[in-house]
Amino acid sequence: MRLQDVGTVETVVPKRDELGDVRKGKLTGRLHELQAATSQGFVLVHTTVLEGEQYATFVDTLTQDRSAL
């Protein structure tokens, strides 16, 4: 039986043009979180973007084989 750890990274990003700096900061933070997770052996397996009127929410799903630990 194959065992895996599953984790998610959720990032809420504003869509309003005047919040461009906030949006850039949120997306940069998401990138850093994903880089940290992959450096610990996690693999990004799926990304979903939930579109709202004022925000978009990125939900990244990562897995890690326990046998790799």
Side-chain angles (χ1 to χ4, degrees), residues 2-55:
R2 185 173 163 184
L3 299 176
Q4 290 185 326
D5 289 325
V6 177
T8 60
V9 174
E10 294 181 25
T11 309
V12 178
V13 180
K15 292 176 135 181
R16 294 186 359 221
D17 288 338
E18 64 271 13
L19 296 176
D21 289 338
V22 174
R23 181 172 46 249
K24 182 178 179 181
K26 293 283 190 174
L27 292 172
T28 299
R30 174 178 171 251
L31 175 62
H32 290 157
E33 283 190 65
L34 292 174
Q35 287 174 331
T38 57
S39 73
Q40 295 175 10
F42 281 87
V43 175
L44 177 64
V45 293
H46 190 265
T47 299
T48 298
V49 181
L50 306 170
E51 295 281 347
E53 192 172 312
Q54 295 180 12
Y55 297 93

Side-chain angles (χ1 to χ4, degrees), residues 1-6 63-69:
M1 182 174 169
R2 185 173 163 184
L3 299 176
Q4 290 185 326
D5 289 325
V6 177
T63 62
Q64 180 183 54
D65 286 334
R66 285 192 183 177
S67 58
L69 297 175

